[in-house]
Amino acid sequence: MAGSGSRRAEGPGPGQGGRRGPAQAPPSGGGRGRPRNCRSRAAGPRRTPAARTGRRFLRGGGRGGAGQGGGTLGHRLPGLGWPRRARRSPASPCSASRGWQGLIAYGCHSVVLIVDANTAQTLQVLERHKASVVKVKWAKENYHHNIGSPYSLRLASADVTGKIIVWDVATGTARCEIQEHAKPIQDMQWLWNQDASRDLLLAVHPPNYIVLWNADTGTKLWKKSYAENILSFSFDPFDPSRLALLTSEGIVFISDFSPSKAPASSGKKVYISSPHSSPSHNKLAAATGAKKALDKVKILISNEKPSAESVTLNDCLQLSYLPSKRNYMLLLYPREILILDLEVNQTVGVIAIERTGVPFLQVIPCFQRDGLFCLHENGCITLRVRRSNCSITGTPNEEPDPDPVQELIYDLRSQCDAIRVTKTVRPFSMVCCPVNENSAALIVSDGRVMIWELKSSISGRNVRNSSSASPLYSPVSFCGIPVGTFQNKLPDLSLDNMIAGQGTIAGEEQLKSSFLQEVHLKFLLTGLLSGLPLPPFAIRMCPPLTTKNIKQYEPILAVGTSNGSVLVFHLTSGLLHKELSIHSCEVKGIEWISLTGFISFATSTPNNMGLVRNELQLVDLPTGRSIAFRGERGNDEPAIEMIKVSHLKQYLAVVFKDKPLEIWDVRTCTLLREMSKNFPTATALEWSPSHNLKSLRKKQLAAREAMARQTVASDTEVSSVESSVISLLQEAESKSELSQNISAREHFVFTGADGQVYHLTVEGNSVKDSARIPPDGSMGSITCIAWKGDILVLGDVDGNLNFWDLKARVSRGIPTHRSWVKKIRFAPGKGNQKLLAMYNDGAEIWDSKEVQMVSSLRSGRNVNFRILDVDWCTSDKVVLASDDGCIRVLDLSMKPSCFRMDEQDLIEPAWCPYLLVPRASLVLKAFLLHQPWNEKYSLDIINIDYPENENIKNLLQEQLNSLSNDIKKLLLDPDFTLLQRCLLVARLYGDESELHFWTIAAHYLHSLSQQKPAKPTDTAILQEQLVNPLDICYDILCENYYFQKFQLERVNLQEVKRSTYDHTRKCADQLLLLGQTDRAVQLLLETSSENAHYYCDSLKACLVTTVTSSGPSQSTIKLVATNMIANGKLAEGVQLLCLIDKAADACRYLQTYGEWNRAAWLAKVRLNSEECADVLKRWVDHLCSPQVNQKSKAILVLLSLGCFTKVAEMLHSMRYFDRAALFVEACLKYGVFEVNDDTNKLIHAVYADYARSLKLLGFKQGAVLFASKAGETGKELLMELKQPKEEVTPE
C-alpha cells in the first residue's frame, strides 16, 4: 500500500444527500436532458396496439431481495429483488451485464430482464429459474460472423441453487442447463480468446471449485479445486493462459490456464494486507526529506501469510486486471482503489476517499483509455482518467524532475447526480457499454434503470482547470483516421473519440499546436426505466376493448401500491404511463368508471378501537385530477372491504367490515342510500350484467326531443331541467342537484354472514330490496361472487365454487380443496364464460359453461411466488401480481413462457440487428458498408435489388430508420472513408473482432502510407506519428518508439516504489534489458554488504560498466550466456546478450524456449525495425500453428508490421471473405499493394469469393458489384447473376 505521502485523497462524488466532500472537483455531470421513458405525470397517452401475442411482465422489488426494493415493468409486467447476501459481497455487482450487442441483462428474483440501453425499453424477460438469479453474463462477440456463425444473442444466467442456464435470448428459449452443486454460483465468465471455441464458460462453484463448461452442450470439460474459498476471478485480457482468483485469504495467480485441460499447478498464492483508510494517511506531505521517506511504500503483496492482527482480504470487494495496459491489476476496497504493478507486485497508484466521501461499491476499468468508471454507495457514478505523465516524457535527460508525483494518478473528470438512498432504495449494480465505453447504466434496488451517457464539450483555451489535473485533449483522429477541422465527426461516439490517448502529448510544444483542443466531460441522463415499488399490489385492468371504443382504447393497467400511489402502465410496452400520488396509505382496490377514470380506495392501519381512516378518490387520468369521492367522510370508521362499480358505471357500492354498505351515484358523487344499522353486513357483492338500457335510451331520446322543441320555441330560455339533462348526457361531472334523474335500473346481489343471498334494485335514488335466497347448506361463508349472462358463481372460505345457471334454475357445487376463494372474475368478451379464481395458494381458470378447470397455478408446486391479486387483461390473457414484486401477463395455460423478441410491438424502434434472421443482418451490414449504391449515398434499402420477401425488407428498413440522426449523417457523408465506415459499422454491430481489426488496420494503413512518398525525416509526418500513436491498450501492436517510452516510464515508477531487495533486483534487470545501464549499475551498487547477493551484484555492476568499452570480451560473454541458457538460467543469459547488443540472439533463445511474449517485448524495446519485424514474423508463424491456433492475433501482429498482402492472404484462407474484400479495397485506395500478377490474382479471388457469399445471402446487387471487380475470375459468376431472377435466388 502506498505510504501516506504518496497517497491522493479525492471526493468520490456527491455525498449522501448531495453534499460534496471538500476535496472534490466541481460536478461536471448530471445534466437533466429529458430522458427516454421518463414521462411527466400529465403526459398525454401514447398510442399502442391493443392486443399482442406472448406475455408481458412488470417487475417489482420483493421482500426477499437483497435490494428489498421495487422493480420494473416490461414483458410479463419485472422486479428487482435479489437473494439476501452480505452487504458487500465481492460477487454482487456482477448480476448485471451489458453485452457487445447493446443490451443490458440483469437478474430480478427468478427472472432475467433484457433492456435496450439506447431506448430504455424492456425487450425480453427470461423465466425458467426456480430460485433467485445471482449472475448473468453475455457471451463475447470476439469472432468472425458469417452465415455459419451468425450474430446471436447468447446469455448465461446462474441462480442460488447452482443452476446455470444458457439462453437464446431472441427466442426466449434455453439452449442448455448446467448443474454441478446446489450452492450459489460465485462468478462466471465466457472465455475471451474465441479462435478455438466460443462456447466455453468458466464458473466458480462454491466453495473452491472452478469448472470449465461447454455452454452449447452442457458438457463439463474439466474441474479443479483449490485450497481456499474462491470469491471471484479475472482473466488477463492480454494473455488467455493467465487468470487471477480472489480467495478468502489472498490472490491465486494461475499461469497455465488452458481450455483443453485443467491447470496442472495450484497457482502462485500471494497474501494481501488490507490498506489503511484513515484520512491522516491521505494528506499529501510537503516536499521535504520526510516525503522521500513517506514515499517508501508499505508492502502490500507478500508470499508470507500476514499476522493475525492485520486485517486480510475479507474487505476486498473486487479484483480486476486493467484492460488498458498489460500486467496491471486493480483491487477495490470500500474506501480506496489500489493499482498494482504485477511485474513487481507493488502498489503504484491509490485512489483514496477522504472521511466525508462516499465509499465505493464497484469499479469498471476501461479498455480504450486508462480510465475507471466508479459506482459509489449513494448511486453516484464517477469517471476517473489517468493523468498523463508529462514530467517523464518531457525530459529526455537521465535526471528526473526533482519532485514529480511518483505514482499513477487518476483524476476525477466527471460525476453524475446521486440518488436518494433509503432503507429499501440503494444502488445495486453498474454496467458500462463495452463497445464505446461512453455510457453507464445504474440499476437501483427499486427497479429503476438509469442510463447515463458521457458527453464531451470543447472548452476555451483560456479556461484552465483550477485543480492540479492536467487537461484532457480531443483526439487528432476520428474513427481511426486523422480528420480536418471541418470534416463531419461525432466526438461522443466513443471514449477514444472523445479524449486523446496517453501517448498523444509528446511534450509542451504540442500544446501550442492548433489541432489539440481541450475537452470537458459530463454525464447526461438519457434513459430511465421505472419499476414497481415494494409489494403488496392491487391491480385492475381498464374496461375491455369493444367495437365502440376501439379508436380510444389503450390497454392500461392501474396498480395500487403500499405507499399510496397508483401506477398506470401500458401493457403493450410495459412502460410506466403515469404515476399518481393519490393516497396517504396502502391502496386496497381500484375500479374503473370509464377508459380514462377510476375510483381507488385506501385504508390506514387500525387504531386501538379497530377503526381506520378510509380514503376514496375519483381520478381523471388525462389531467391527473383527483377528488375525495365521499367528501369529508372517512375518519374513524370501520375499514372499507371492497368497492364495486355497476355495469353501466352509474352506481358504486361501498362495502365495510362491520358497517352496512353504502350506494353512491358515480356521476354526481352523491350518496344514494346508507343502509340501516340492522341491515346485514355484506361478505361478497356483485352487480348484475342485465339492465334496462333500452328504457334509458328511450328516456334520453324523449329528453332530447323536448329539448329540441324548447329550443325552437325560445332560444333564450332553457329550463333548468333540460339543462342538467344535457350536462348528464355529455357526461359532465356536474355536482348540481338533478331535478330529474335519467338513469337505468340496475341490480346487485350480496351475501350476508349467514350465507343468505340478497337481491337489490337501484334506480335513480331509490334502492329496493327485491328477493332473498336462503343459504346453500353445502357452502361455508361466501367470500366472493361473479355474474355474467345467466351464470352466477359463488366462492367460499373452504374453497368451494358454486355455479348457478339462472336460466335453467340449477346449481352445481365444486369442491376445489384449495382453501379460501379470495376473488373470482369472468373474462371479458361476449359469450366468453371463462372464470378466473384466486386462492390463498394460487389461481385457477375455469370454463363455467362446461364447469371444468382449464388450468391451475399453485405456489410452491409449479411457481415459487405467492399471488397477491389477479385480473383479466384481454379475453384470453390474465394478469397476476405476486409477492416477488412482479406483475405477470400469462395466457390461459398460465405457464411461464418467453416470447420471440422480433414479434414485439415496441413504442420506440430499437437498433438491434441481432434480432433479424442471420441472412438479413449480414445483408444489412453489407448494405451499410458498400455505400454508395448506384453512385448515391442512401439509407433506403427498398430501392436495392434484394429479392427477399417484403416483410424482411421492411424489417431492414425499420432498423435503418432507428439509427440516430448523427449516425445517419456520418453514413451518408461522401468524405467518410471506407476504413471509417468499417469501424463505425463494427461499433453499430458490437462486433469485437471487427472493431479491433479495423482500429489497427486504419491506424497502420494511414500512418504507413503517409511514410511511403516522403523520407522518414519529413518532420510533419513524424510529428503526426508522435502525437497520434496507437494506444498502449494494444500493447505489442503499438509503434516501437511509443512502446519503449511506455516501458521506460513504467520502470521509472517501479524504481521509485521499490522497498525490498527483490524489487530492486527486478528493476535493475528491467533497466539492463531496456539498455539503461548507468541506472542499472546504481541500483546494483545499492545492495547492502549483509545481503547474500552483495558479491554477485558488485561483480555484475563492474561487468556492466566495463563491457561496453572492451571488444574481445564480447565472445567470452556470448559463450557464458549460451552456457547459462543451456543450463536453465534463461533470464540471466538473455541479460548478458543484451549487454553486448546481441538482443536479436536473445530473442531467438527466448522463442526457442517458448517465451514468445517476452521475446516480442524485448524485440520492441531493443531492436531496430527490421530485426524486430523478423522476431515478430516468427511469432506470427507460431500463433498460426495448429496447437496454438491464435490466427486472429497473428493477423493483428502482421497489420502492425505493415505486411498487408500477407494479411489479405490469411483473411482469404480463413474464409473471412467480407473482411478480406473490404481490406483489399482499403489497401488499393491507400496504394500499399505492390502491383504484380500475384497480388492481382489474390484481389480477384477475394472479390469473387465475396460475391459468391453475397449471392448465397440473396443480396444480388452486392454480388454483381464484386463479381464485376473480380476480372476474369468473376466473369462466369457475373453471367450467372445476370440470368433471369427466379433461376438465381436460392431459398
Side-chain angles (χ1 to χ4, degrees):
M1 187 194 91
S4 46
S6 62
R7 184 99 149 242
R8 298 195 67 253
E10 281 188 33
Q16 207 77 1
R19 204 157 59 87
R20 302 189 190 286
Q24 295 214 356
S28 50
R32 298 238 187 242
R34 178 75 177 273
R36 294 183 294 271
N37 296 346
C38 182
R39 315 216 40 230
S40 68
R41 293 198 175 183
R46 284 169 127 166
R47 288 308 320 264
T48 58
R52 1 181 339 199
T53 57
R55 84 193 154 153
R56 300 199 70 75
F57 184 89
L58 288 154
R59 57 193 168 67
R63 286 201 164 88
Q68 294 255 333
T72 68
L73 181 93
H75 304 61
R76 254 163 330 192
L77 293 175
L80 271 187
W82 300 274
R84 289 186 184 279
R85 277 195 296 248
R87 183 156 176 252
R88 284 204 187 101
S89 154
S92 61
C94 305
S95 39
S97 171
R98 184 156 173 183
W100 279 79
Q101 316 85 348
L103 304 179
I104 298 165
Y106 62 97
C108 147
H109 302 288
S110 60
V111 296
V112 179
L113 274 104
I114 311 297
V115 174
D116 176 46
N118 291 321
T119 59
Q121 294 178 101
T122 308
L123 300 186
Q124 176 68 287
V125 179
L126 306 168
E127 189 168 22
R128 198 180 174 96
H129 286 284
K130 293 283 188 283
S132 295
V133 175
V134 289
K135 283 278 166 286
V136 287
K137 279 284 185 297
W138 283 106
K140 303 276 187 189
E141 293 300 318
N142 190 18
Y143 60 92
H144 178 253
H145 298 78
N146 55 25
I147 196 72
S149 306
Y151 288 98
S152 63
L153 295 173
R154 287 189 307 155
L155 178 79
S157 61
D159 63 28
V160 289
T161 64
K163 176 175 274 191
I164 299 172
I165 299 179
V166 180
W167 301 89
D168 178 344
V169 175
T171 60
T173 54
R175 292 173 70 139
C176 83
E177 295 188 18
I178 294 166
Q179 181 93 45
E180 176 72 6
H181 299 293
K183 288 184 180 174
I185 300 295
Q186 286 281 46
D187 201 0
M188 61 179 183
Q189 295 269 358
W190 295 82
L191 265 58
W192 62 264
N193 173 37
Q194 301 199 317
D195 280 7
S197 167
R198 42 185 180 277
D199 300 318
L200 304 182
L201 183 72
L202 186 69
V204 174
H205 294 266
N208 57 351
Y209 294 99
I210 58 170
V211 183
L212 185 67
W213 298 95
N214 180 328
D216 195 40
T217 60
T219 315
K220 189 197 316 182
L221 301 180
W222 52 255
K223 178 176 178 179
K224 168 89 176 167
S225 67
Y226 288 87
E228 288 109 23
N229 293 355
I230 303 169
L231 305 176
S232 66
F233 67 89
S234 176
F235 276 113
D236 185 344
F238 294 93
D239 187 347
S241 66
R242 289 174 55 187
L243 176 72
L245 307 176
L246 178 62
T247 69
S248 48
E249 291 194 341
I251 301 176
V252 175
F253 289 102
I254 297 167
S255 55
D256 57 346
F257 180 85
S258 159
S260 53
K261 61 180 189 296
S265 69
S266 54
K268 178 192 170 193
K269 189 193 293 182
V270 295
Y271 296 95
I272 299 201
S273 308
S274 183
H276 294 296
S277 41
S278 141
S280 60
H281 286 73
N282 295 346
K283 310 276 191 299
L284 280 170
T288 60
K291 179 177 185 304
K292 297 281 186 252
L294 284 166
D295 269 337
K296 300 290 182 197
V297 179
K298 170 182 178 289
I299 298 172
L300 187 79
I301 297 189
S302 61
N303 296 328
E304 293 82 42
K305 198 165 184 174
S307 57
E309 63 268 13
S310 75
V311 189
T312 50
L313 200 69
N314 300 341
D315 214 12
C316 184
L317 302 184
Q318 192 186 330
L319 154 152
S320 178
Y321 279 95
L322 288 193
S324 55
K325 47 195 179 182
R326 186 189 274 266
N327 276 335
Y328 280 95
M329 179 173 274
L330 164 158
L331 289 178
L332 174 70
Y333 288 82
R335 302 204 72 83
E336 52 217 320
I337 298 171
L338 306 180
I339 309 294
L340 309 180
D341 186 332
L342 297 179
E343 285 180 1
V344 290
N345 279 1
Q346 184 66 52
T347 312
V348 289
V350 180
I351 301 162
I353 289 182
E354 56 180 33
R355 188 177 284 160
T356 56
V358 186
F360 293 112
L361 270 183
Q362 188 189 348
V363 64
I364 298 175
C366 301
F367 163 75
Q368 297 167 17
R369 296 288 178 256
D370 193 356
L372 308 170
F373 281 93
C374 308
L375 172 63
H376 298 263
E377 284 186 359
N378 62 351
C380 174
I381 297 172
T382 56
L383 173 69
R384 294 163 190 273
V385 182
R386 183 167 83 82
R387 188 182 296 182
S388 56
N389 216 343
C390 291
S391 62
I392 295 173
T393 58
T395 53
N397 59 328
E398 286 281 311
E399 191 58 43
D401 184 353
D403 191 26
V405 179
Q406 299 288 11
E407 66 175 28
L408 301 182
I409 295 174
Y410 288 80
D411 293 310
L412 180 66
R413 294 297 185 177
S414 182
Q415 64 190 36
C416 74
D417 292 349
I419 60 171
R420 188 160 171 259
V421 177
T422 65
K423 280 182 184 174
T424 57
V425 178
R426 62 181 186 86
F428 173 66
S429 184
M430 165 183 68
V431 287
C432 176
C433 171
V435 186
N436 300 320
E437 295 184 331
N438 64 350
S439 74
L442 173 67
I443 294 154
V444 188
S445 62
D446 63 0
R448 278 176 295 167
V449 179
M450 304 170 76
I451 294 159
W452 293 95
E453 278 188 26
L454 207 55
K455 301 289 178 190
S456 63
S457 56
I458 304 289
S459 62
R461 196 46 70 84
N462 51 352
V463 185
R464 283 310 301 269
N465 206 331
S466 56
S467 72
S468 58
S470 56
L472 291 176
Y473 293 100
S474 62
V476 182
S477 57
F478 173 64
C479 275
I481 306 291
V483 290
T485 319
F486 302 108
Q487 252 178 295
N488 224 343
K489 57 179 176 180
L490 176 60
D492 293 342
L493 178 66
S494 64
L495 189 63
D496 56 0
N497 284 304
M498 277 187 205
I499 53 174
Q502 299 291 340
T504 298
I505 313 298
E508 283 298 313
E509 69 277 0
Q510 255 72 43
L511 297 177
K512 302 178 183 71
S513 61
S514 58
F515 53 78
L516 287 178
Q517 293 177 298
E518 195 178 329
V519 289
H520 287 278
L521 304 176
K522 65 177 179 183
F523 278 111
L524 211 60
L525 183 67
T526 58
L528 176 64
L529 189 62
S530 298
L532 293 165
L534 277 168
F537 307 124
I539 60 173
R540 196 74 170 102
M541 189 68 190
C542 68
L545 176 70
T546 63
T547 49
K548 290 173 188 160
N549 67 14
I550 194 161
K551 287 188 177 169
Q552 302 85 38
Y553 182 79
E554 292 194 48
I556 49 182
L557 178 84
V559 180
T561 66
S562 53
N563 61 10
S565 60
V566 175
L567 309 177
V568 180
F569 287 101
H570 267 280
L571 274 202
T572 21
S573 64
L575 295 178
L576 180 64
H577 171 52
K578 280 198 179 161
E579 179 174 357
L580 303 160
S581 295
I582 301 168
H583 299 283
S584 60
C585 42
E586 185 184 328
V587 180
K588 293 291 177 70
I590 299 167
E591 287 286 321
W592 290 83
I593 55 168
S594 68
L595 282 176
T596 58
F598 60 81
I599 296 175
S600 60
F601 78 93
T603 58
S604 65
T605 49
N607 60 19
N608 51 10
M609 294 169 67
L611 301 178
V612 300
R613 183 181 70 258
N614 285 317
E615 299 176 3
L616 195 63
Q617 294 282 343
L618 173 68
V619 181
D620 179 51
L621 200 54
T623 60
R625 178 170 165 257
S626 71
I627 51 172
F629 190 82
R630 296 174 71 224
E632 297 299 313
R633 293 164 176 257
N635 287 328
D636 291 339
E637 62 178 5
I640 296 176
E641 290 274 273
M642 71 176 110
I643 58 172
K644 291 277 184 175
V645 175
S646 67
H647 276 263
L648 293 180
K649 314 296 184 196
Q650 300 180 106
Y651 309 115
L652 174 75
V654 183
V655 179
F656 296 88
K657 189 176 182 182
D658 296 313
K659 179 182 164 184
L661 58 88
E662 296 176 355
I663 307 293
W664 290 75
D665 188 317
V666 170
R667 299 156 301 178
T668 59
C669 299
T670 52
L671 178 63
L672 297 179
R673 174 113 172 245
E674 183 174 7
M675 300 305 179
S676 60
K677 285 190 177 171
N678 56 3
F679 195 81
T681 306
T683 60
L685 183 145
E686 180 64 303
W687 287 91
S688 162
S690 59
H691 37 68
N692 59 346
L693 193 55
K694 286 177 184 171
S695 71
L696 172 68
R697 293 214 172 109
K698 276 181 192 168
K699 286 179 192 174
Q700 289 173 345
L701 200 58
R704 282 193 194 123
E705 284 170 8
M707 176 77 191
R709 282 196 301 274
Q710 184 75 20
T711 310
V712 171
S714 159
D715 283 345
T716 54
E717 287 185 39
V718 181
S719 73
S720 65
V721 178
E722 279 102 21
S723 146
S724 51
V725 168
I726 295 164
S727 64
L728 179 65
L729 295 176
Q730 291 173 340
E731 295 185 280
E733 289 180 4
S734 164
K735 283 195 177 181
S736 61
E737 284 293 314
L738 296 181
S739 52
Q740 179 188 335
N741 265 325
I742 293 184
S743 48
R745 186 167 70 246
E746 295 201 65
H747 330 268
F748 69 89
V749 293
F750 75 91
T751 55
D754 56 356
Q756 188 159 256
V757 179
Y758 298 82
H759 183 224
L760 280 80
T761 306
V762 185
E763 185 169 14
N765 53 8
S766 71
V767 180
K768 294 174 186 167
D769 190 351
S770 53
R772 296 187 185 192
I773 303 158
D776 184 333
S778 64
M779 298 281 285
S781 177
I782 306 296
T783 54
C784 47
I785 307 174
W787 190 348
K788 183 170 184 179
D790 296 322
I791 306 284
L792 183 75
V793 185
L794 294 91
D796 72 2
V797 288
D798 303 320
N800 299 310
L801 292 176
N802 207 335
F803 293 82
W804 292 8
D805 187 331
L806 301 177
K807 204 172 186 180
R809 297 188 170 228
V810 293
S811 77
R812 184 173 168 192
I814 305 281
T816 64
H817 309 295
R818 292 282 296 260
S819 78
W820 185 19
V821 184
K822 297 178 87 171
K823 190 172 285 188
I824 46 179
R825 246 177 209 151
F826 275 104
K830 198 171 181 182
N832 186 351
Q833 295 293 329
K834 297 281 188 300
L835 179 83
L836 176 62
M838 173 183 151
Y839 308 95
N840 258 339
D841 64 345
E844 287 175 349
I845 294 176
W846 285 76
D847 185 337
S848 61
K849 251 186 211 162
E850 308 292 328
V851 193
Q852 277 184 340
M853 190 174 74
V854 177
S855 60
S856 168
L857 197 69
R858 199 184 280 253
S859 302
R861 187 173 293 177
N862 48 1
V863 293
N864 54 356
F865 50 79
R866 198 168 59 80
I867 293 173
L868 303 174
D869 202 356
V870 295
D871 200 0
W872 291 92
C873 54
T874 61
S875 58
D876 61 346
K877 290 191 178 58
V878 295
V879 54
L880 313 175
S882 53
D883 67 343
D884 62 355
C886 302
I887 294 177
R888 293 169 169 80
V889 177
L890 305 174
D891 59 18
L892 291 177
S893 69
M894 290 208 289
K895 282 184 181 156
S897 61
C898 301
F899 48 83
R900 293 184 61 88
M901 284 169 77
D902 53 7
E903 290 173 359
Q904 280 254 53
D905 298 319
L906 294 173
I907 283 184
E908 201 178 332
W911 164 263
C912 188
Y914 288 72
L915 297 182
L916 298 166
V917 294
R919 285 170 59 172
S921 64
L922 291 164
V923 165
L924 179 61
K925 189 174 168 189
F927 172 74
L928 289 171
L929 286 169
H930 302 305
Q931 298 273 357
W933 294 99
N934 305 331
E935 296 174 9
K936 181 179 156 202
Y937 288 86
S938 160
L939 291 181
D940 195 354
I941 205 164
I942 304 299
N943 307 328
I944 294 294
D945 182 9
Y946 176 47
E948 281 283 350
N949 63 41
E950 280 306 303
N951 186 25
I952 289 204
K953 228 170 180 179
N954 291 337
L955 287 172
L956 292 177
Q957 193 58 54
E958 273 176 33
Q959 284 290 308
L960 288 165
N961 295 345
S962 69
L963 288 168
S964 73
N965 290 338
D966 291 329
I967 298 287
K968 286 177 183 169
K969 193 173 164 190
L970 285 176
L971 289 166
L972 296 173
D973 181 7
D975 294 331
F976 200 56
T977 66
L978 175 67
L979 283 170
Q980 288 176 309
R981 188 176 291 280
C982 290
L983 257 174
L984 181 62
V985 172
R987 284 193 189 284
L988 289 175
Y989 269 71
D991 192 325
E992 190 176 355
S993 164
E994 299 254 297
L995 186 60
H996 295 328
F997 175 85
W998 289 114
T999 301
I1000 294 158
H1003 180 84
Y1004 282 107
L1005 274 172
H1006 183 80
S1007 64
L1008 295 174
S1009 67
Q1010 296 284 313
Q1011 281 181 22
K1012 291 244 165 160
K1015 294 277 178 268
T1017 50
D1018 188 332
T1019 53
I1021 289 157
L1022 269 179
Q1023 183 172 337
E1024 186 192 287
Q1025 270 198 294
L1026 284 168
V1027 169
N1028 193 31
L1030 193 63
D1031 206 73
I1032 198 65
C1033 61
Y1034 286 104
D1035 196 47
I1036 294 290
L1037 307 171
C1038 300
E1039 284 90 345
N1040 289 10
Y1041 79 90
Y1042 179 49
F1043 189 77
Q1044 289 164 12
K1045 176 171 149 306
F1046 176 79
Q1047 300 305 330
L1048 277 170
E1049 282 179 23
R1050 180 172 191 156
V1051 81
N1052 281 349
L1053 193 55
Q1054 290 172 355
E1055 193 185 334
V1056 170
K1057 293 286 180 188
R1058 64 203 161 83
S1059 55
T1060 64
Y1061 170 73
D1062 277 350
H1063 288 183
T1064 305
R1065 198 179 72 216
K1066 280 179 185 169
C1067 288
D1069 292 350
Q1070 284 292 82
L1071 287 167
L1072 285 174
L1073 294 177
L1074 288 164
Q1076 304 287 310
T1077 49
D1078 293 355
R1079 278 165 60 201
V1081 167
Q1082 280 176 12
L1083 295 192
L1084 288 168
L1085 293 175
E1086 278 182 19
T1087 309
S1088 73
S1089 52
E1090 287 82 38
N1091 193 310
H1093 299 276
Y1094 171 66
Y1095 183 60
C1096 287
D1097 286 352
S1098 304
L1099 289 178
K1100 198 172 182 181
C1102 298
L1103 175 66
V1104 171
T1105 44
T1106 55
V1107 77
T1108 46
S1109 53
S1110 91
S1113 62
Q1114 291 212 354
S1115 53
T1116 311
I1117 291 174
K1118 190 174 180 183
L1119 181 67
V1120 171
T1122 49
N1123 283 335
M1124 287 176 100
I1125 290 168
N1127 289 302
K1129 293 199 175 294
L1130 181 63
E1132 291 84 346
V1134 165
Q1135 271 182 40
L1136 287 176
L1137 288 171
C1138 288
L1139 272 181
I1140 55 171
D1141 289 330
K1142 299 280 185 217
D1145 293 345
C1147 290
R1148 265 195 292 276
Y1149 281 116
L1150 284 168
Q1151 289 182 329
T1152 308
Y1153 284 86
E1155 295 282 352
W1156 295 93
N1157 282 318
R1158 279 177 65 193
W1161 181 90
L1162 187 59
K1164 295 286 278 187
V1165 295
R1166 283 300 293 267
L1167 299 180
N1168 61 35
S1169 52
E1170 289 82 14
E1171 288 179 321
C1172 177
D1174 287 342
V1175 173
L1176 293 181
K1177 280 173 187 170
R1178 285 199 298 276
W1179 187 32
V1180 166
D1181 295 338
H1182 170 71
L1183 290 171
C1184 292
S1185 62
Q1187 65 271 25
V1188 180
N1189 192 23
Q1190 288 188 33
K1191 287 186 178 173
S1192 49
K1193 185 170 184 178
I1195 286 176
L1196 300 183
V1197 176
L1198 287 170
L1199 279 175
S1200 73
L1201 296 173
C1203 307
F1204 299 129
T1205 315
K1206 178 78 174 137
V1207 169
E1209 282 171 12
M1210 269 189 77
L1211 288 171
H1212 186 238
S1213 69
M1214 291 163 76
R1215 303 185 68 79
Y1216 291 7
F1217 297 136
D1218 53 343
R1219 204 182 289 184
L1222 287 157
F1223 181 70
V1224 163
E1225 221 170 329
C1227 289
L1228 291 172
K1229 279 187 181 166
Y1230 276 97
V1232 293
F1233 275 168
E1234 292 174 25
V1235 182
N1236 58 38
D1237 289 347
D1238 288 344
T1239 49
N1240 283 339
K1241 198 173 168 185
L1242 171 68
I1243 290 163
H1244 290 162
V1246 166
Y1247 283 160
D1249 281 329
Y1250 185 44
R1252 282 187 198 97
S1253 69
L1254 287 175
K1255 179 191 163 197
L1256 193 67
L1257 295 176
F1259 191 14
K1260 185 179 170 186
Q1261 194 162 341
V1264 169
L1265 173 73
F1266 280 92
S1268 60
K1269 290 181 177 182
E1272 289 295 317
T1273 324
K1275 258 189 184 173
E1276 192 182 321
L1277 180 63
L1278 200 59
M1279 284 167 65
E1280 196 182 316
L1281 285 163
K1282 288 185 174 173
Q1283 284 170 6
K1285 194 172 179 179
E1286 60 272 10
E1287 293 178 31
V1288 177
T1289 321
E1291 274 302 325

